[in-house]
Amino acid sequence: EPRETMPAALHIVNPKLPGCAVGYEYLAGVGVAFKLVWAMGQQLSGGERVSEEFRDLLMDALALVAIGTVADVAPLLDENRVLVSYGLRTIGSTGRPGLDALLQVTRLRPEYLTARDIAFRLAPLLNAAGRMGHPRAAVELLTTRDADAAGKLARELDQTNRQRRRVQDRTCRHAEQLAEAEGGPAERPCIVLSHPEWHQGVVGLVASRLAERYGRPAFVFAQNGECVRGSARSVPGFPLFTAVCECADLLEEYGGHEGAAGLTLKPQRLPAFIERIEGIAAELMADRKAPEIALDGEVTLSALNQGLVEEIGRLEPFGQGNPQPVFGAAGLRVVGNPRVVGSTSRHLSFMVRQGDTTLRAFAMGKAEWAPELRKRQGETLSLAFEPGINTYRGRNEVELRVRDMQWDAERVVVRPPA
């Protein structure tokens, strides 16, 4: 919420202030910085068009703007769509050794880059530095002009990210065990967990995993000395930041928005916080139904050819505010042996058949499905998925990026997004 009075300052640059132009409110911090430099360039160039020197500077910065906008989970609407779309095209041609090294270590081809690649491949490496206590490494990678140093830093960040994944997975398993031991998350209005051995850098990721799995707001705290620091993630229909504000007298620090928040409090106040936030959640979540995945339509596997997927791709960039279309297909059967894949064995790959068409399905973070898929292989199932193209050894093949599955459904129920 905007403050009633602004601090004394020569200039305040904030696109969320009342009276700002429509569309700018979606800008991430990196977008605000970009627009500020653009305006400075116009002033110094004496007109609407910037000088060639400023133009080169702005074009070179677009790649960083795209990465920062997607990594900050800013809505890909209005001007953000333009910035990210053009930024994606420049990531592989900036001449920045750090970006070239990132692409090399993640094995991403610049001509096929999407916002999804930033969100799930590039941004986690950059964020891992700060999460694990070494934020300077990401800054050095993006600013160095030395190719050898960039390669070394990118490999170090890749190892740091692998460490982050191990810590995150271990903490998630522990948190799920604690949640189940405390009576079952499905019976509680929200999830609040803390432990002295948890790493501060992953509590937000763990809270996100818990909220997604159990369909409840999740608060996860790391106990650190004299304070308990935590992160919270919301679910649709729960105004998280509003709820946190109602607990302000118990908190040392807090901030965020309706989807995510960070908060700090004294250990002795944690029981009172749990009691109050559970009371708030019980009231707000009383009439909430089980979470559902909204589908854009039902399709047959035979209709999912490369041309259709490329047509859908014209709606890119997908992300916050402009989600990738999700479809459903029913009457599927698992073919062959489902395989657990990925460096941390968290993902699942399996083949599904419908009539004469067989396609690969990939379920990120769903390795626990493997035993059930093998056991019930002769039964029919339906899948909710995003269609995509898997490029492997020069071959492009349609694949299903699975969001959820359901057994024995003859048809999928299509509930279009609101």
Side-chain angles (χ1 to χ4, degrees):
E1 293 293 331
R3 295 173 49 166
E4 293 184 5
T5 58
M6 292 294 103
L10 184 60
H11 297 288
I12 296 176
V13 181
N14 185 340
K16 297 184 184 294
L17 291 176
C20 285
V22 174
Y24 291 159
E25 71 269 21
Y26 296 127
L27 290 173
V30 68
V32 174
F34 180 80
K35 297 291 289 187
L36 176 60
V37 173
W38 189 344
M40 292 171 60
Q42 290 175 319
Q43 288 288 324
L44 295 173
S45 302
E48 286 293 314
R49 297 178 65 87
V50 299
S51 66
E52 185 175 344
E53 183 180 13
F54 257 101
R55 180 185 179 279
D56 292 342
L57 172 66
L58 292 169
M59 293 301 294
D60 180 63
L62 271 177
L64 299 181
V65 175
I67 292 173
T69 299
V70 175
D72 215 16
V73 201
L76 297 188
L77 302 171
D78 293 328
E79 191 163 9
N80 279 353
R81 286 183 58 74
V82 179
L83 295 174
V84 173
S85 180
Y86 279 91
L88 282 167
R89 303 178 196 180
T90 68
I91 288 178
S93 58
T94 63
R96 289 178 178 268
L99 291 182
D100 293 340
L102 271 181
L103 293 175
Q104 185 174 7
V105 80
T106 55
R107 299 178 183 177
L108 288 171
R109 296 173 62 180
E111 63 268 30
Y112 295 118
L113 273 181
T114 66
R116 182 187 182 93
D117 292 323
I118 294 178
F120 291 100
R121 304 285 294 279
L122 298 180
L125 263 68
L126 296 171
N127 286 336
R131 293 188 188 281
M132 304 310 290
H134 310 288
R136 188 68 190 172
V139 177
E140 291 176 357
L141 174 67
L142 295 177
T143 55
T144 185
R145 293 295 177 180
D146 186 317
D148 291 335
K152 182 174 182 293
L153 285 165
R155 290 189 294 273
E156 289 176 355
L157 282 179
D158 184 46
Q159 290 302 315
T160 301
N161 190 46
R162 292 174 189 273
Q163 179 191 4
R164 186 270 307 168
R165 285 180 188 166
R166 290 191 293 269
V167 173
Q168 177 186 336
D169 289 343
R170 184 169 63 247
T171 307
C172 277
R173 288 193 297 270
H174 190 192
E176 289 168 357
Q177 291 169 358
L178 291 180
E180 299 287 351
E182 292 183 5
E187 304 302 321
R188 308 185 66 160
C190 66
I191 302 167
V192 187
L193 299 172
S194 67
H195 199 276
E197 295 180 3
W198 290 348
H199 195 293
Q200 178 65 46
V202 302
V203 291
L205 300 171
V206 175
S208 181
R209 181 88 66 90
L210 294 174
E212 179 182 357
R213 174 166 183 173
Y214 297 116
R216 295 287 186 273
F219 298 77
V220 180
F221 293 93
Q223 300 173 15
N224 184 11
E226 297 181 356
C227 286
V228 177
R229 302 180 186 276
S231 289
R233 297 294 184 270
S234 189
V235 295
F238 184 81
L240 177 61
F241 189 65
T242 301
V244 169
C245 287
E246 294 185 34
C247 304
D249 59 303
L250 299 173
L251 304 174
E252 299 296 309
E253 297 177 343
Y254 65 95
H257 49 81
E258 302 300 10
L263 48 166
T264 302
L265 68 163
K266 297 291 187 181
Q268 59 269 28
R269 290 183 171 176
L270 185 58
F273 172 80
I274 295 174
E275 181 179 359
R276 188 180 301 179
I277 201 70
E278 285 189 342
I280 296 169
E283 183 177 347
L284 294 174
M285 302 285 289
D287 299 325
R288 187 175 185 276
K289 299 178 181 179
E292 296 179 340
I293 295 177
L295 302 179
D296 292 273
E298 181 178 4
V299 297
T300 60
L301 297 192
S302 60
L304 292 172
N305 54 46
Q306 186 171 338
L308 175 61
V309 177
E310 290 176 350
E311 188 75 13
I312 294 171
R314 295 178 66 182
L315 301 173
E316 289 269 14
F318 296 122
Q320 185 74 11
N322 183 45
Q324 186 167 353
V326 180
F327 298 98
L332 311 178
R333 295 183 185 276
V334 177
V335 180
N337 184 35
R339 296 184 299 113
V340 174
V341 297
S343 58
T344 56
S345 300
R346 293 180 48 241
H347 313 310
L348 185 66
S349 175
F350 58 103
M351 305 296 292
V352 290
R353 177 178 295 162
Q354 184 188 59
D356 296 328
T357 305
T358 301
L359 293 177
R360 176 180 181 262
F362 177 79
M364 180 177 290
K366 302 295 184 182
E368 69 271 14
W369 286 358
E372 185 177 12
L373 286 175
R374 292 167 184 150
K375 182 179 179 180
R376 305 179 65 173
Q377 197 161 27
E379 302 178 37
T380 59
L381 75 157
S382 62
L383 295 177
F385 60 88
E386 301 163 355
I389 301 293
N390 178 37
T391 302
Y392 182 68
R393 293 182 178 177
R395 295 177 56 189
N396 295 332
E397 296 180 344
V398 176
E399 69 175 5
L400 314 180
R401 294 165 183 166
V402 180
R403 294 277 300 277
D404 204 356
M405 71 173 180
Q406 183 178 358
W407 292 99
D408 303 324
E410 295 182 3
R411 294 291 302 276
V412 294
V413 179
V414 179
R415 295 187 178 89

